[in-house]
């Protein structure tokens, strides 16, 4: 057996092992500038400053907290995201199950953070993905909703998080 065949076999085993872990895909955008965190760690993702395009990244299926910071620079506001499993099925979409705040609190993007203050509220649904005047963006789920805080105030920063701990 050649070294190439051994390495190819090892790579196949690694690929199967990664597939068995059940990785997800996050597809997200925000009007206007987005920062994505997984369990408190900032993720480097292309397209974070272009709300008309989806940013996409691998997401481990065992994540605890998915957090998105969105800075609005005027006119419309919103965070839009979906998470799909390897079969392409939705496992999470932005809706009122998310929590959002206009106040940045220490550790807001980490597991163990408690949404005890009055600053946190259920994500306020602005509209479905693709609702006029916005068009569909990338492969973000049609079941995802644009969310923000209740006042939907422009020129603000919003911190939205989804706690995946049962």
């Amino acid at each position: 057996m050649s070294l190439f065949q051994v390495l190819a076999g090892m790579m196949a085993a690694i690929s199967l092992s990664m597939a068995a872990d059940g990785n997800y895909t996050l597809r997200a955008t925000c009007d206007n500038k987005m920062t994505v965190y997984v369990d408190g760690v900032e993720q480097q993702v292309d397209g974070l400053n272009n709300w008309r395009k989806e940013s996409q990244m691998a997401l481990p299926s065992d994540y605890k907290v998915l957090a998105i910071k969105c800075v609005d620079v005027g006119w419309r506001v919103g965070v839009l995201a979906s998470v799909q499993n390897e079969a392409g099925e939705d496992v999470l979409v932005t809706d009122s199950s998310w929590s959002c705040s206009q106040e940045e609190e220490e550790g807001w993007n980490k597991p163990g953070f408690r949404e005890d203050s009055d600053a946190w509220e259920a994500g306020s649904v602005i509209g479905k993905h693709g609702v006029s005047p916005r068009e569909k963006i990338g492969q973000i789920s049609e079941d995802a909703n644009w969310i923000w805080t209740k006042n939907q105030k422009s020129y603000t920063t919003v911190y939205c998080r989804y706690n995946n701990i049962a």
Side-chain angles (χ1 to χ4, degrees):
M1 190 179 263
S2 74
L3 177 60
F4 177 76
Q5 290 171 318
V6 170
L7 290 174
M10 289 173 60
M11 292 303 291
I14 290 170
S15 294
L16 285 173
S17 171
M18 289 175 66
D21 288 343
N23 287 331
Y24 293 158
T25 301
L26 167 67
R27 303 173 194 284
T29 189
C30 109
D31 195 346
N32 293 100
K33 299 177 183 178
M34 179 172 64
T35 308
V36 176
Y37 303 89
V38 177
D39 297 335
V41 178
E42 183 174 344
Q43 305 297 302
Q44 300 303 315
V45 185
D46 290 336
L48 296 173
N49 294 325
N50 184 351
W51 71 268
R52 289 182 174 94
K53 297 190 187 261
E54 81 176 34
S55 294
Q56 186 180 126
M57 62 168 273
L59 180 68
S61 60
D62 64 348
Y63 74 95
K64 306 285 186 283
V65 173
L66 176 59
I68 297 176
K69 173 184 173 182
C70 182
V71 179
D72 178 66
V73 296
W75 203 21
R76 293 188 186 105
V77 297
V79 173
L80 179 71
S82 62
V83 175
Q84 285 82 28
N85 62 19
E86 292 174 342
E89 302 163 329
D90 290 342
V91 294
L92 175 66
V93 294
T94 42
D95 59 16
S96 61
S97 68
W98 287 63
S99 298
C100 297
S101 175
Q102 289 186 0
E103 295 178 22
E104 183 176 17
E105 294 184 49
E106 180 78 27
W108 73 274
N109 55 6
K110 297 178 181 176
F113 176 77
R114 297 175 57 100
E115 300 162 14
D116 291 339
S117 77
D118 291 338
W120 290 92
E121 60 187 67
S124 178
V125 173
I126 298 168
K128 280 285 203 194
H129 180 205
V131 70
S132 182
R134 292 184 170 131
E135 60 278 340
K136 298 220 183 269
I137 297 174
Q139 295 177 7
I140 297 172
S141 173
E142 293 182 11
D143 292 327
N145 298 280
W146 287 95
I147 62 170
W148 202 252
T149 53
K150 287 181 193 144
N151 70 12
Q152 298 180 14
K153 184 178 177 187
S154 297
Y155 298 101
T156 55
T157 299
V158 166
Y159 307 87
C160 293
R161 66 190 313 262
Y162 181 81
N163 192 354
N164 194 37
I165 301 170

